[in-house]
Amino acid sequence: MTGYTMLRNGGVGNGGQPWMLRWSSRIRLTWLSFTLFIILVFFPLIAHYYLTTIDDADDAGKRIFGPRTGNELCEVKHVQDLCRIRESVSEELLQLEAKRQELNSEIAKLNLKIEACKKSIENAKQDLLQLKNVISQTEHSYKELMAQNQPKLSLPIRLLPDKDDSNFPLPKSHRSCRLHNCFDYSRCPLTSGFPVYVYNSDQFDFGSSLDPLIKQAFESTVRTNVYVTENANIACLYIILVGELQEPVMPKPTELEQQLHTLPFWRTDGHNHLIINLSRKSETQNFLYNVSTGRAMVAQSTFYDVQYRPGFDIVVSPLVHAMSEPNFLEIPPQVPVKRKYLFSFQGEKVESLRSSLQEVRSFEEEIEGNAPADYDDRIITTLKAVQDSKLDFVLVEFTCKNQPKASLPTEWALCGEREDRLELLKLSTFALIITPGDTHLVISAGCAMRLFEALEVGAIPVILGEQVQLPYHDVIRWNEAALIIPKPRITEVHFLLRSISDNDLLAMRRQGRFLWETYFSTSDSIFSTVLAIIRTRIQIPAVPIREEAAVEIPHRSGKAAGTDPNMADNGDLDLGPVETEPPYSSPKYLRNFTLTAMDIYRNWNSAPGPFHLFPHTPFDPVLPSEAKFLGSGTGFRPIGGGAGGSGKEFQAALGGNVPREQFTVVMLTYEREEVLMNSLERLNGLPYLNKVVVVWNSPKLPSEDLLWPDIGVPIVVVRTEKNSLNNRFLPWDEIETEAILSIDDDAHLRHDEIMFGFRVWREARDRIVGFPGRYHAWDIPHQSWLYNSNYSCELSMVLTGAAFFHKYYAYLYSYVMPQAIRDMVDEYINCEDIAMNFLVSHITRKPPIKVTSRWTFRCPGCPQALSHDDSHFHERHKCINFFVKVYGYMPLLYTQFRVDSVLFKTRLPHDKTKCFKFI
């Protein structure tokens, strides 16, 4: 205890006590450190051992540190929530992992496809390069072949009047003149355009003796003719008017001959000259009979056989309507076919008339072929017997009630005034024309006047005497409009006339009306026909027809055109390619130089005479029956020309024999900008569309801030001179395709309907093909025609507010159709569509073609048009009846034929859509 106390007191009491304290403190620190070391090192090792081995015991009850069950851990509420969250997160992680693996798989597949596409692109580039090389080589070969087959030709040398003509061969006699020995072809190259120089008759002595009406009409015609030139140095033909002369002043043959020889470009013999002697009266004298005309051609209505040179001189018709257009309202209709009299004749043969032209004939001349003197007596006897038999109503008078007109010897003189003769002919089905008894008289002005009057009023000419040379006989088939019977068959005439059917009678009457309007009726038609005959003889093509120059209205475009779902809802049907290249124009007319040498008598509506004689006709009509190829010289392509003979699929080609073709939309509008813009937008993406020509029919220009839609093809806005519905059919020079789709600005058509109509039109290019059908009907109580728009199974018209037609009809409508029809269209501001239907049916004698079952095409919600006016239908009734009077008959034809699509929008397998049917 003492020790202990000593230790606590710091070792006080002896000297070793501090050391002991220090030693005991060290021992305690060492022991403490060792204890801590054991606790911190060995205890964790022992615990770790037990923790890793204790759970391996088989007895679950002995597990001290093992995991507890779920129920034991989730007894508390918040622990249960955490457990649910853990389970949800685990499931999402599993799903994300599955998606990741799926995406990795798709990425790998897409990478493989990308590599395959890269290889395909490389192959396509190689193929494209090869195709470009092939195309380049083909174009080069084509150019070489064209250069070999079409060598460069030099134009003929043009001879001027001051050049020497000593090498020009002389004929044995001026009476034996023909084109090969009396006409200088070197002055008329094929590319010359046939320039014609017309002398001023007032500069010569005989000019003051010309009939004033003839002279004024001739000068008026010359001023407007496209071939007339004022430069005589380049002229191919020189024309001088010498008659008709006034009765009191008749120059002597020697005086007239001297005046002709003094013409500035007569050059000793008058080659390439044409002397015109027009007759306005039946008693016109043949004062050129004893005049030496040299190598000049003569055109007149009276010829003797010693004077007439076939193929060189021209027999012309008399100029009756010198300064006035024919009044169509006074011309009788062509129906009914049979009239009061079966035939009629009025005339008197004055044997006492004598002239210096009459020659004394010997008996030998009678034996050499001249008709016996008793033929006229036999004709008189036979015709009187027919009249007395009363089998048919006929009227024959061989003695004039009044003084007969002056006539040539042996010629039947005309009786009475012109008005009286026309009234009789209006009641006659046939008109007898007895040729002169003198067979040396080839044609006389009296016979030509009878022929003119018969054709004018629709009496079919019956010409007794086959030796007569009718006007323009070398280019007109007179047997299609007249009966030419030899005089010895006079006893059979009555039987022959009664045996002709009504259809043939109507066809001959209609053909006679066509001849009269085209070649006889006016001074323009006579002069143009004479020039056309000479031009055709020397094989020079006609001057291209005049096209209407389009004055374009500047406009801004750039507005992106939207896609109307109603327009583009075509399913998987491929309507055709939307043009991405420059617009493709229809090939130009390629037969300018071969037409005059080949198709002398070919024409569209079986009219006698060459259709190309029209000075306004630039090209042949396009008819399916002619199978004419209008391509660029590649020849015919058989229908269904697919590989292996299976034919091309419907969507792969347009069909027909013209493999590539587009159409032009012509849209007439008048101050309806919003409606117009909507209509233009509906054309966006339309296949085979070349361009759109908007005819702006208002004097007020469109708004300057108006933004026009961009539909992928050019939009040409044309300004018109006046507000006229006839502007719809003007042959604008901007129209470069044969196919025209005439459409109103408020028309609402789907793309598939338009394409179907285009395909149908290509199979019937000579007809109007459209959507809204109408028909005409006969009003029995009022004895007149009516216009009807009711739904029916029959139609005779297709409205041009939504219709395809050939551009050729635009020329005919604007330049050929009688002006009276266009004037009525302007008067009523109506009926232009009816006028076009009349024209096409008159030319083709075929009805239009209606496609699809739609009867109307107006867009819903558009402002009302002129057709909604109450007076609209009354005006159309009047138009139809007036047009019938102008044409002389009803040209419209009924049809129950309608073209509907069978497989056009029918969903069929790809390998079965190779057909196209009509029902």
Side-chain angles (χ1 to χ4, degrees):
M1 180 168 179
T2 307
Y4 176 75
T5 306
M6 290 175 64
L7 288 174
R8 294 188 60 181
N9 291 331
V12 178
N14 60 42
Q17 189 176 7
W19 178 86
M20 290 296 292
L21 291 173
R22 288 193 297 272
W23 180 81
S24 60
S25 298
R26 291 176 181 174
I27 292 174
R28 286 193 296 244
L29 292 173
T30 302
W31 177 251
L32 180 61
S33 300
F34 179 78
T35 304
L36 290 175
F37 176 78
I38 294 299
I39 295 172
L40 294 176
V41 174
F42 288 96
F43 182 77
L45 291 175
I46 294 171
H48 175 71
Y49 172 79
Y50 278 101
L51 289 176
T52 56
T53 60
I54 195 170
D55 291 336
D56 296 334
D58 296 333
D59 189 1
K62 297 180 181 180
R63 298 173 63 183
I64 301 173
F65 299 100
R68 302 290 183 176
T69 60
N71 294 332
E72 294 175 349
L73 296 177
C74 296
E75 292 178 355
V76 185
K77 183 178 181 180
H78 69 277
V79 176
Q80 294 178 355
D81 295 338
L82 293 175
C83 291
R84 285 194 297 268
I85 294 173
R86 187 191 66 171
E87 293 176 356
S88 176
V89 171
S90 299
E91 292 179 358
E92 291 180 359
L93 291 175
L94 292 175
Q95 293 177 0
L96 290 175
E97 179 64 21
K99 289 183 178 180
R100 185 183 67 81
Q101 294 178 0
E102 183 180 355
L103 290 175
N104 289 335
S105 176
E106 291 182 0
I107 290 173
K109 293 180 181 179
L110 291 176
N111 289 332
L112 293 177
K113 290 184 178 180
I114 290 173
E115 294 298 328
C117 290
K118 288 181 179 180
K119 293 181 181 179
S120 300
I121 291 173
E122 293 297 329
N123 295 334
K125 288 181 178 180
Q126 295 295 330
D127 295 341
L128 179 61
L129 182 60
Q130 293 178 2
L131 289 175
K132 288 182 178 180
N133 294 333
V134 172
I135 292 174
S136 177
Q137 294 176 2
T138 305
E139 290 178 350
H140 182 70
S141 301
Y142 176 75
K143 291 180 180 179
E144 289 182 350
L145 291 175
M146 293 297 292
Q148 294 176 3
N149 297 329
Q150 296 181 357
K152 294 183 179 180
L153 300 176
S154 59
L155 296 177
I157 299 176
R158 189 188 297 269
L159 298 180
L160 298 179
D162 56 350
K163 296 285 184 75
D164 186 12
D165 296 332
S166 58
N167 295 329
F168 195 55
L170 294 174
K172 295 181 180 179
S173 171
H174 292 317
R175 293 184 178 181
S176 62
C177 265
R178 300 297 183 270
L179 288 176
H180 69 276
N181 56 8
C182 288
F183 191 86
D184 186 4
Y185 281 90
S186 62
R187 296 191 58 84
C188 306
L190 292 175
T191 58
S192 64
F194 192 59
V196 175
Y197 178 79
V198 180
Y199 290 102
N200 186 2
S201 301
D202 292 334
Q203 298 178 356
F204 307 97
D205 295 339
F206 60 83
S208 58
S209 304
L210 291 174
D211 185 293
L213 292 179
I214 294 287
K215 180 180 177 181
Q216 186 176 357
F218 182 78
E219 292 176 350
S220 176
T221 299
V222 167
R223 284 194 296 267
T224 58
N225 194 275
V226 295
Y227 295 103
V228 174
T229 179
E230 296 181 357
N231 186 0
N233 294 326
I234 65 171
C236 165
L237 183 69
Y238 300 87
I239 296 180
I240 181 67
L241 179 67
V242 299
E244 178 177 50
L245 298 178
Q246 300 182 68
E247 286 296 332
V249 183
M250 293 294 294
K252 296 180 179 180
T254 55
E255 296 178 356
L256 181 59
E257 185 175 329
Q258 291 177 358
Q259 295 181 37
L260 292 176
H261 291 178
T262 59
L263 294 175
F265 305 99
W266 186 262
R267 291 174 305 194
T268 69
D269 58 4
H271 62 273
N272 290 53
H273 275 66
L274 173 65
I275 301 173
I276 297 181
N277 177 23
L278 297 177
S279 60
R280 194 168 60 89
K281 301 183 292 291
S282 62
E283 58 270 20
T284 300
Q285 297 296 319
N286 183 15
F287 59 87
L288 292 177
Y289 179 77
N290 292 322
V291 176
S292 176
T293 57
R295 292 179 175 177
M297 293 176 283
V298 178
Q300 60 180 11
S301 300
T302 302
F303 280 103
Y304 280 88
D305 55 358
V306 295
Q307 179 188 14
Y308 179 67
R309 297 165 290 186
F312 193 72
D313 294 328
I314 301 174
V315 179
V316 299
S317 62
L319 180 57
V320 178
H321 301 286
M323 290 304 297
S324 61
E325 294 288 335
N327 188 353
F328 293 101
L329 298 180
E330 296 180 356
I331 299 176
Q334 299 184 26
V335 290
V337 177
K338 293 183 178 179
R339 300 175 178 177
K340 177 180 179 180
Y341 299 111
L342 178 64
F343 61 83
S344 64
F345 177 81
Q346 283 183 328
E348 182 173 346
K349 191 173 183 179
V350 183
E351 296 290 349
S352 60
L353 292 177
R354 295 292 183 269
S355 69
S356 60
L357 301 181
Q358 188 176 11
E359 300 176 350
V360 179
R361 293 178 294 172
S362 62
F363 176 76
E364 288 77 14
E365 291 177 328
E366 296 282 350
I367 297 300
E368 288 177 358
N370 295 329
D374 61 349
Y375 267 160
D376 287 347
D377 297 335
R378 188 184 307 173
I379 291 173
I380 294 173
T381 303
T382 303
L383 295 181
K384 285 185 176 180
V386 173
Q387 185 178 23
D388 295 339
S389 66
K390 300 185 183 302
L391 294 175
D392 293 291
F393 285 104
V394 299
L395 191 151
V396 290
E397 296 179 353
F398 300 103
T399 303
C400 296
K401 298 178 181 179
N402 300 320
Q403 182 68 24
K405 303 293 183 181
S407 61
L408 295 176
T410 72
E411 182 185 19
W412 288 91
L414 293 172
C415 296
E417 299 299 327
R418 167 178 159 80
E419 292 74 13
D420 299 331
R421 298 194 300 270
L422 292 180
E423 290 300 323
L424 175 60
L425 292 174
K426 290 178 182 180
L427 302 176
S428 306
T429 305
F430 296 95
L432 294 185
I433 301 176
I434 305 176
T435 59
D438 186 1
T439 56
H440 292 286
L441 189 58
V442 175
I443 185 66
S444 65
C447 285
M449 183 64 69
R450 289 181 181 273
L451 179 64
F452 180 94
E453 294 176 351
L455 295 176
E456 182 179 6
V457 297
I460 300 174
V462 179
I463 301 169
L464 297 178
E466 78 283 1
Q467 79 282 358
V468 67
Q469 300 291 344
L470 298 179
Y472 321 124
H473 61 89
D474 51 348
V475 294
I476 291 180
R477 296 188 201 177
W478 277 108
N479 61 337
E480 295 185 357
L483 295 174
I484 303 177
I485 304 174
K487 287 185 177 181
R489 295 190 180 276
I490 182 60
T491 57
E492 302 172 324
V493 168
H494 186 211
F495 167 80
L496 178 61
L497 299 185
R498 294 191 65 184
S499 64
I500 300 177
S501 64
D502 290 352
N503 290 336
D504 292 339
L505 289 176
L506 184 59
M508 296 182 70
R509 182 173 296 164
R510 185 167 55 242
Q511 204 58 46
R513 174 70 175 272
F514 167 78
L515 295 178
W516 180 78
E517 290 182 357
T518 307
Y519 307 119
F520 291 75
S521 58
T522 63
S523 59
D524 287 339
S525 60
I526 294 176
F527 186 69
S528 298
T529 302
V530 170
L531 293 185
I533 289 176
I534 299 176
R535 176 181 54 76
T536 306
R537 286 177 177 176
I538 62 179
Q539 301 179 356
I540 294 182
V543 172
I545 191 170
R546 176 176 63 90
E547 290 192 312
E548 204 69 24
V551 180
E552 187 173 356
I553 300 176
H555 61 280
R556 293 189 304 156
S557 61
K559 175 184 176 183
T563 302
D564 191 336
N566 295 325
M567 299 297 103
D569 184 16
N570 300 311
D572 57 357
L573 182 63
D574 183 12
L575 297 179
V578 178
E579 300 297 336
T580 57
E581 300 178 357
Y584 175 75
S585 303
S586 296
K588 299 295 183 181
Y589 181 58
L590 304 177
R591 300 189 58 209
N592 288 331
F593 295 99
T594 57
L595 176 63
T596 55
M598 295 174 56
D599 297 335
I600 296 298
Y601 287 104
R602 292 181 63 182
N603 52 77
W604 200 341
N605 59 333
S606 300
F611 201 85
H612 64 270
L613 280 183
F614 281 110
H616 42 256
T617 304
F619 53 90
D620 269 351
V622 183
L623 291 180
S625 59
E626 294 181 2
K628 184 179 296 182
F629 181 72
L630 295 180
S632 56
T634 57
F636 287 96
R637 182 178 68 83
I639 296 178
S646 61
K648 288 189 176 182
E649 297 176 1
F650 180 73
Q651 296 94 335
L654 272 174
N657 294 313
V658 185
R660 186 182 183 189
E661 187 172 18
Q662 295 178 346
F663 62 91
T664 302
V665 169
V666 176
M667 187 177 295
L668 187 72
T669 186
Y670 187 90
E671 296 184 3
R672 296 200 296 181
E673 295 180 354
E674 182 179 357
V675 174
L676 174 63
M677 295 302 107
N678 293 333
S679 296
L680 292 176
E681 288 187 6
R682 285 194 291 269
L683 299 176
N684 184 33
L686 181 61
Y688 303 107
L689 179 58
N690 181 273
K691 70 174 61 172
V692 178
V693 177
V694 177
V695 182
W696 192 264
N697 221 25
S698 171
K700 180 182 177 182
L701 297 180
S703 303
E704 295 181 359
D705 58 348
L706 182 62
L707 193 60
W708 295 68
D710 183 5
I711 60 175
V713 297
I715 297 178
V716 180
V717 185
V718 178
R719 184 176 183 178
T720 58
E721 296 181 356
K722 64 176 182 178
N723 178 20
S724 172
L725 293 180
N726 292 316
N727 296 332
R728 179 195 296 272
F729 303 124
L730 284 174
W732 302 104
D733 55 2
E734 289 289 342
I735 302 176
E736 299 176 334
T737 60
E738 295 178 9
I740 296 177
L741 173 58
S742 175
I743 190 170
D744 288 343
D745 58 359
D746 57 355
H748 195 273
L749 296 173
R750 299 194 310 269
H751 285 189
D752 63 286
E753 292 176 323
I754 295 176
M755 288 312 306
F756 180 68
F758 182 48
R759 289 174 179 270
V760 174
W761 176 85
R762 284 168 48 83
E763 303 294 336
R765 306 172 72 90
D766 60 330
R767 299 161 82 171
I768 299 177
V769 177
F771 301 90
R774 302 291 186 267
Y775 68 98
H776 66 288
W778 179 251
D779 184 7
I780 297 178
H782 298 88
Q783 293 294 295
S784 62
W785 294 102
L786 296 177
Y787 170 84
N788 201 314
S789 62
N790 296 332
Y791 292 86
S792 67
C793 296
E794 197 169 48
L795 61 97
S796 60
M797 293 175 282
V798 167
L799 301 187
T800 55
F804 286 92
F805 63 89
H806 200 287
K807 188 180 179 182
Y808 180 80
Y809 294 119
Y811 297 104
L812 295 184
Y813 184 97
S814 302
Y815 304 141
V816 181
M817 189 179 68
Q819 181 64 37
I821 296 180
R822 294 190 293 272
D823 291 341
M824 190 167 195
V825 171
D826 288 336
E827 178 183 354
Y828 286 150
I829 316 179
N830 198 345
C831 306
E832 85 287 355
D833 47 1
I834 300 178
M836 177 59 81
N837 278 271
F838 266 71
L839 174 65
V840 177
S841 296
H842 172 67
I843 294 296
T844 64
R845 303 306 303 135
K846 298 177 182 178
I849 297 178
K850 173 177 169 52
V851 293
T852 75
S853 59
R854 291 185 59 178
W855 208 259
T856 182
F857 57 91
R858 300 295 179 188
C859 62
C862 291
Q864 288 189 350
L866 296 175
S867 58
H868 293 84
D869 191 358
D870 294 338
S871 61
H872 176 76
F873 286 93
H874 298 288
E875 293 172 350
R876 294 174 86 81
H877 299 330
K878 296 178 181 178
C879 287
I880 286 184
N881 288 280
F882 178 77
F883 296 165
V884 169
K885 291 181 179 179
V886 173
Y887 283 98
Y889 74 111
M890 169 53 76
L892 298 179
L893 300 173
Y894 293 108
T895 179
Q896 293 184 351
F897 179 79
R898 190 184 78 197
V899 183
D900 285 339
S901 60
V902 175
L903 300 180
F904 192 65
K905 292 195 69 176
T906 304
R907 302 295 184 260
L908 292 177
H910 182 72
D911 59 343
K912 298 185 181 297
T913 56
K914 293 185 177 181
C915 303
F916 184 68
K917 297 181 180 179
F918 291 160
I919 61 172

